[in-house]
Amino acid sequence: MSATAAAREDRPGRGFGSERVREALVGYLFIAAPMVLYGILFFYPIGYALYISRYDWGVLGKIDTVGFGNYRELLHDHRFGIAVKNGLKFTLAFTICSMALGLFVAVVVNNAIRFRGFFRSAYYFPSIASSAAITAVALFILSADGLFNQITGFDRAWFGESGTALWALVGLNSWTTSGMVMLFYLAYLQSIPTDVYEAAAIDGAGAWRTFWKITFPLLRPGHFFVSTLLVIGGLKMFDQAFIASGGSGGPNNSTLVPVLYLYRVAFYDVRFGYAASVGIALMLIIFGLTLLQRLTFGRTDAN
Amino acid sequence: MRARRLFVVLTCSVLVAAVFAATSLGRSDKNGSTTAASGTVVLSGWGASPDELKLLKQVLRGFSKTYPNIHVDYQPITGDYVPAMLAKFAARKPADVFYVDSNVFLDWVTQGLLEPLDSYAQQSKFSSKPFYPSLLNGFKYKGKIYGYPKDWSPLAMEVNTDLAAKAGVKPASITNWATLTAAARKLRGVMPSGSKPICLSPSWDRALAFVYQNGGTFLNATKTKSTVNSPAAAAALNYYVGLIKQGLADIPAKLSVGWCGEALGKQKAAIIFEGNWLFPFMTSTFPSVHFSTQRMIMQKQHGNLAFTVSYSMAKDAQNKPAAWQLIRYLVGRPGMATWTSKGLALPSRSDVKPVAGRASFLADAPAARPWQFAPRFSQVIDTANNELSAVIEGKESVAQMLQKVESTANDTLSK
């Protein structure tokens, strides 16, 4: 091969390379703006929280350097322990209940039933309503002489007793979130190829068997996605616990969840450094749990 | 020639002196302030009820007439007041004048957020003597005044007179724990279903009054150590929780109400322990419910809590001279007289008389201790309230609660 021919052959290669670079540059340019915003709104606050978590930090700034003192204190903080335990209890129950309810509703409204559109909108409605308003209404319904007790015959102040307050929150949140879960599951249900169902029908599988042997396993990516969202959302739950307990996390710490504890440490004890260490610890817990989910549910999804 | 020059010099000196004196007089207002205050001053507080807002605006109109050069920009904060204020402090843009609850005062003053007012008071010869000392002390830190109480209230005992008459109970006869229990026992027979003779809040901002009545304390005099784990406190709390255990009382959640005032209004309870804030609530929400108000019950001694709020100035206030004039007017005699004229609040000055029917509150002024402890004490109160809930639910004993509360308090005090 002559030198000229070699050079000619090289050209398309170089051209391809520069095109790739140009394409990549355009791509990076497109994501630059959101990444800058992401950096300002996420990475900077996380970095800043890490920074102030090493100080006794007051309203007007640094008071004293404590190094890892805040983290050491966190390890022995009884109320933080209660908050994490409550947070995990809530998240586990809320994730399971929301997924079960959301999936059930999704399967129902995925069928060709009459007024399907209406039911889909109706089930999704609690997800778009204000959580503060819904919690306020729930406080009335679940009060000692509220509607719920009058219908069921119970005699309990559901938010007023430490044995039931957290579970009342689980019920409330599962119901409000199930609409969103239904929407995600609907999308995943519609992505399952119909020929699998046809094959099952030919083989004589009933509805129950079809659901457990085909629908449920094929929704695995959906389970991963939905459960990840719910676990993160569950551990970050704040507003309902704040409203239901009047901001105290009571009765008897039963609704004290990690973010509510962080809020109280920051704004009522005026300990921003310590509150930042609570935030970092919470971030690590969420990150760890998400990783765990990825390693269990997500593996097949990746394959 | 020399005499003429001397005359000119003297005349000029006199003129200069006269102009200087006139300027100085102009700068000194009729209330004795030495600095001319003008411009805008921002006033903040938590949201007021329509009646309170009407009165506050009336007070501010009076201020504008006295100080026409100062414009007051009233910016109430709706929602959670403390976090909203802390965000403003952190941004170095706080209101010039604002409410400070005695409960958060120590946290705010130790963070350097408040301006000491002694020099302003001295300069304008503003006397703090008419203020009830126990209330003013709630806003003093290291000998300096950081706020003047705008109003206050202790707890009192309110009794539904219709239910009491039905049960044959004379409210005036309820003066101590024994007579309270006896009255509750009589009332039990006439209470409608779903109600209890007494409503008790599961929180220390009510239970502590019973501890004080029995000679107990929460902190020592120097506020360096918790003294709550004592036989006096244990007896008081056993009595408090015992009323619930005996079925003579219940907490608001169990009575399906938000607070004990609502329980009185809805006739879910016949006896409650609330402050002056109950009056506007009952008048506007339950005007047909008849109730009497009397001095808080006692045991070994009179003991009560004082809930008070100050007008304070921010260290980062933009217009300090005007801010001081506003504080001085609001907590001064005419301002406070207008503010307390409808009985929505009790005056914190002894030279302003409250409206009729509030004698039972004023009687407790010497015995009432401010609802205030030490910096960063909110965590301790949270723990104490949660422990009290656990005791009421039967999950813990009073002795266990007191041990935990004292240990948490001492941990916080030692930091």
Side-chain angles (χ1 to χ4, degrees), chain A residues 8-22:
Chain A
R8 210 178 291 142
E9 270 185 25
D10 275 347
R11 224 173 284 141
R14 277 205 306 270
F16 178 68
S18 61
E19 239 173 65
R20 274 184 65 183
V21 168
R22 213 179 305 132

Side-chain angles (χ1 to χ4, degrees), chain B residues 347-406:
Chain B
S348 50
R349 295 174 66 105
S350 54
D351 56 356
V352 177
K353 296 289 162 234
V355 294
R358 303 294 199 271
S360 46
F361 288 98
L362 290 191
D364 255 340
R369 292 175 228 190
W371 177 243
Q372 184 185 71
F373 302 93
R376 293 180 167 175
F377 226 65
S378 118
Q379 179 95 256
V380 180
I381 299 303
D382 276 354
T383 303
N385 286 340
N386 280 303
E387 293 297 323
L388 185 57
S389 293
V391 173
I392 290 170
E393 288 187 355
K395 291 182 174 167
E396 211 169 72
S397 69
V398 166
Q400 285 170 315
M401 166 180 71
L402 290 177
Q403 208 173 359
K404 278 189 196 170
V405 174
E406 187 170 278

Side-chain angles (χ1 to χ4, degrees), chain A residues 78-96:
Chain A
H78 175 63
R79 290 195 84 209
F80 178 67
I82 292 174
V84 170
K85 209 169 124 190
N86 284 343
L88 292 174
K89 243 162 59 176
F90 172 83
T91 303
L92 184 70
F94 159 71
T95 304
I96 292 170

Side-chain angles (χ1 to χ4, degrees), chain B residues 3 36 83 97 101 118 121 143 146 156 171 174 181 187 210 239 243 266 282 300 312 343-344 363 392 403:
Chain B
V97 178
D101 193 304
D118 304 70
Y146 287 84
I174 311 170
T181 309
L187 277 161
F210 286 76
Y239 174 72
L243 287 171
K266 289 184 171 171
M282 291 299 283
K300 286 181 185 164
S312 294
L344 302 182
I392 290 170
Q403 208 173 359

Side-chain angles (χ1 to χ4, degrees), chain A residues 145 162 253 263-264 268, chain B residues 80 256 268 382 386 393 395:
Chain A
D145 62 359
S162 62
N253 287 323
Y263 176 84
R264 290 203 68 84
Y268 285 89
Chain B
D80 217 351
S256 286
K268 297 265 183 162
D382 276 354
N386 280 303
E393 288 187 355
K395 291 182 174 167

Side-chain angles (χ1 to χ4, degrees), chain A residues 208-247:
Chain A
W208 188 247
R209 200 174 160 84
T210 308
F211 175 77
W212 283 112
K213 294 288 178 189
I214 295 173
T215 312
F216 195 78
L218 286 178
L219 281 176
R220 199 178 167 108
H223 299 322
F224 169 65
F225 177 71
V226 170
S227 65
T228 305
L229 277 187
L230 293 179
V231 165
I232 294 172
L235 283 168
K236 291 199 310 192
M237 191 270 284
F238 168 76
D239 42 0
Q240 290 92 341
F242 181 84
I243 296 165
S245 69

